[in-house]
Amino acid sequence: VATVLRKGKLRVIVYSRDHWPPHVHVVTPRGQAKILIDGPTGHPALQWNLGLSRGELAVALAAIEDHRDLILTEWKRIHDHP
């Protein structure tokens, strides 16, 4: 598990033995969500949510969009993918 970004109480993490397509898990004290780094529209896209509020999801999606290149680079490094 690697934390690739923090935004307040949100922690954006990548699991080392995870699967394609590139995605992150956003974890808070109340729950977690899975977000594709590049969704169908080329922007982060929610896959599922277990306990995050709409506000937390909005912050998470914006943070992932703002730091997309860094997060994708880390995902590829962690998964040894060119």
Side-chain angles (χ1 to χ4, degrees):
V1 175
T3 299
V4 295
L5 184 68
R6 288 183 185 269
K7 186 78 172 176
K9 293 184 179 184
L10 300 176
R11 204 167 61 125
V12 179
I13 62 175
V14 173
Y15 291 109
S16 61
R17 298 196 189 275
D18 220 336
H19 54 85
W20 192 264
H23 64 278
V24 294
H25 295 264
V26 178
V27 179
T28 72
R30 295 185 347 192
Q32 71 171 294
K34 177 181 169 186
I35 298 176
L36 294 176
I37 298 169
D38 286 320
T41 64
H43 299 282
L46 178 66
Q47 287 286 284
W48 50 258
N49 173 30
L50 298 171
L52 275 68
S53 69
R54 286 184 184 191
E56 290 169 325
L57 286 172
V59 168
L61 289 165
I64 294 165
E65 177 80 26
D66 291 346
H67 300 280
R68 180 200 167 278
D69 291 342
L70 168 72
I71 293 168
L72 189 56
T73 297
E74 283 299 300
W75 195 95
K76 289 177 179 179
R77 182 188 64 78
I78 290 164
H79 293 94
D80 196 27
H81 192 278

